[in-house]
Amino acid sequence: MKRAPFPEPSPFVTLPGKWRRLFAWLLLIALLPLLTACNDFDEEFSVRSAESTVTVSRDGFARVSETFLVRALVPLNYGGVYVDIPQRFQNARGSAHWRDFVFLAARREGREEHYSIENGVRGRSIYIGERHCKHCSPDLPVGMNAIGIDYRLGRLVREEAGRQILALPAYLGSIHDLRAEKRVKLTVPAGGKLVSSGSAERGYKIESGGGNEFLVSFDAGDADRVSPDIEIEYPLGTFRTAGDLDPIRWWLSDYSNAVLAALGSMIAASFIWLRLKQLKRNEASNLASIDHELLQRTSPALAAYLFRKGLADWRATGFFGSICRLAIMGEFRLSSADASGEAERRNVTDRVGGLSSPFSREAWPLSLRVARGQLTWLPLSDARLSIVEALKGGKSEYKAAALKEYTEFQTQGRSAEWVLLFTLLSICALTAYLSGLQYFMGAMLVVATIAMVYIQMARRPELAGRLATDDMGALKAAILKLIGLPAVFFLLLIYVVRHPPYPEQMSATIAIGLLVALLVIALSLPKPLTGQIRDMRDNVFLLRRYMLGEIPGPAMSVETYERYLPFAIALDAETTWTSKFDKWRSDAGITTYEPDWLIRPAVQEA
């Protein structure tokens, strides 16, 4: 079966980079009018008036029924309105308290209507209007529409100094923060005494309707959303007494965002403190002598990485040490294991290295397999392979292999980090949900993520083309990078600019930002070492001190010299280690040293 040929690359892909960027920016500029053509409530609706009826029962709860007269100005509109129901009210002393909320019903023109509930810092936002679906009209009819909502508010009574104070919210619900004329009829139990009354400064007026009724009125344009409560004093026993757990639940509801922010900050600060304490403990050595069994599981690359602070380029010394180990194991012959050295391939029947591996090739450390692969696939030049050329071509892959070996042993702290990440992100999400910031914070998160993607692509251009496996993949990647992601970025950025947090949401926004900053700090700290990787590090340090002659160790022999030579190269101690071996060889009367794995003898004396 013949395969269909790949389509020719799009002209857009073959354009020079600067022209592609210019084309993408022009396209985005053309899309901006569409992106900014969002719903404008003031041009579609007008709130004419609002009336509320509040009836307080002896249990301290209030049933609220509100009706808003909303005129739809244009035939094509959003299809509904948001009624903002406050649950956080301010008493006469300036203290803010949270009321329980129970939704009862939503109506339009006296009939039950579709609704949805969202959270906010001050309470709930109830969407009332047509359901947005494929087979229904999304628009409200032009003209007057009566929007109604019923709900219950709780925790309106507090006790102090042998009396009970009924604190009634003055304004209650509003639509889209529009300050229309409003009248609130309050019906309360008999026997109360009005403590506070309305005034021009408060933004409302109170008229007594006789007995246990009050009429609160607001003029259009008054500062109605921050009006203090109306307080009525009653004798003890008028309303139900609070239970033992009610004060705790009320306090938590009053300060939910502060409690969440403090809890998240304590968790993050505790993690940072414990991490710093663990890092301080990592400085202590746990080994007194070289552990040869542990050294057998340590590759030259891992040894160089563990000693990286003492090396100019741990990747180069680790790579040279790995090549030396492969040669001693019989994979290659070397002229020298440094940047000027060359390697020569050996036949399978000719591999008789002095330091054979107890593992199969599949069980070798990953760094050894990567190093062997770099030399195996290097182009031949007079049957010799340049070590430095192999290093240039595989330096990043070799580094990744060494880091993977490290992470296989370094497992401590992973679960703690995941728990911290999940906990703080959950607290941030819960704070955003309770504050009505879930869309804002979600948009900010996506905007920040896209920005980080482009920063990473600018720092590491090679990452940009990883998904482009063919011409079609290159086209898709170009569309994603030049059109898709920028369009999403600007769309969400416009949303963030046009829908910033309300002033009362700023505290929650700051709290979320603080938690994110603490999370970044916590995850940016160096990882504490596990017991195994710490022993490996200390073992490498002891081995280097032994090779430098600072501490005693195994007796010198040809086998000892070759066994530790790859580590000497990886730890930049080859010169001292070889000098130590030459001195031992001279004292032992050994005149020549011609290992099978060298292309020519390393030392030959008459």
Side-chain angles (χ1 to χ4, degrees), residues 8 78-79 130 165 186 195 240 246 250 304 344 369-370 402 410 458 493 563:
E8 292 295 327
Y78 191 73
E130 293 288 351
I165 303 297
L186 303 174
V195 177
R240 178 181 62 85
D246 285 342
W250 293 341
E344 184 180 69
R369 283 180 277 154
V370 169
Q410 174 70 344
L493 189 61
R563 182 177 298 277

Side-chain angles (χ1 to χ4, degrees), residues 420-439:
L420 175 73
L421 178 65
F422 176 78
T423 302
L424 290 191
L425 289 182
S426 298
I427 291 176
C428 289
L430 182 58
T431 303
Y433 174 75
L434 295 177
S435 306
L437 290 168
Q438 60 269 34
Y439 299 121

Side-chain angles (χ1 to χ4, degrees), residues 165-203:
I165 303 297
L166 174 63
L168 295 170
Y171 190 83
L172 294 173
S174 61
I175 290 184
H176 210 270
D177 202 20
L178 295 183
R179 298 168 182 182
E181 177 183 353
K182 186 170 186 179
R183 296 168 65 86
V184 182
K185 181 181 179 182
L186 303 174
T187 302
V188 299
K193 176 183 177 182
L194 185 64
V195 177
S196 60
S197 59
S199 64
E201 290 78 15
R202 292 179 180 273

Side-chain angles (χ1 to χ4, degrees), residues 14 35-36 67 69 75 110 158 205 210 215 224 441 444 477 492 500 538 556 583 588:
T14 58
L35 298 178
T36 55
T67 301
L69 295 181
R158 70 175 188 272
K205 298 177 182 179
L215 187 63
D224 43 36
M441 299 308 300
M444 286 294 297
L492 294 179
D538 297 341
M556 178 61 74
K583 184 178 182 302

